[in-house]
Amino acid sequence: MPRGDKSAYTDKQIRKAEHIEDSYEKRGVPADEAERRAWATVNKDDGGGKKSGSGRGAHTGHPAAHKGGAEGGDASASRTAAERSASAKKAAATRKRNAEHPAHG
């Protein structure tokens, strides 16, 4: 099987790669780079194309799909307790204000 041949991938993996590729292109990534990143993500999630043999259907945990949440915590962790508290108080005040004066209705 030559490099770049996608015949070993399942229909679901191909759809997944197309969806990821579309998402990258919407964000301005060139088409060839978007395709490369999409297949790299599918490979990371599923361990490449499906091959025959025992134990090949094992769960992979989908690491790429969980990456964003882990990175998102860094922003909050770098702020002081006082900054986080001030932000929480501001959010609570906004929620209270919005509850008293609904935007729609």
Side-chain angles (χ1 to χ4, degrees):
M1 185 185 323
R3 280 179 176 245
D5 182 12
K6 305 297 184 213
S7 64
Y9 290 88
T10 63
D11 290 342
K12 183 175 181 179
Q13 287 174 312
I14 293 169
R15 286 194 309 274
K16 185 176 185 178
E18 288 170 354
H19 177 78
I20 294 168
E21 183 179 352
D22 290 344
S23 179
Y24 274 123
E25 287 177 358
K26 281 182 186 174
R27 289 184 267 168
V29 176
D32 56 340
E33 174 68 7
E35 182 182 14
R36 187 192 67 75
R37 288 185 190 182
W39 283 107
T41 303
V42 169
N43 287 336
K44 183 175 184 178
D45 274 0
D46 300 342
K50 293 300 171 199
K51 304 159 194 86
S52 62
S54 176
R56 290 293 187 171
H59 180 65
T60 63
H62 305 292
H66 296 284
K67 186 176 178 186
E71 291 180 349
D74 291 343
S76 178
S78 66
R79 297 162 66 205
T80 65
E83 288 172 326
R84 290 195 307 275
S85 177
S87 179
K89 288 176 184 173
K90 182 178 178 184
T94 300
R95 285 192 297 272
K96 182 179 178 184
R97 190 173 62 248
N98 288 343
E100 292 170 355
H101 303 287
H104 303 287

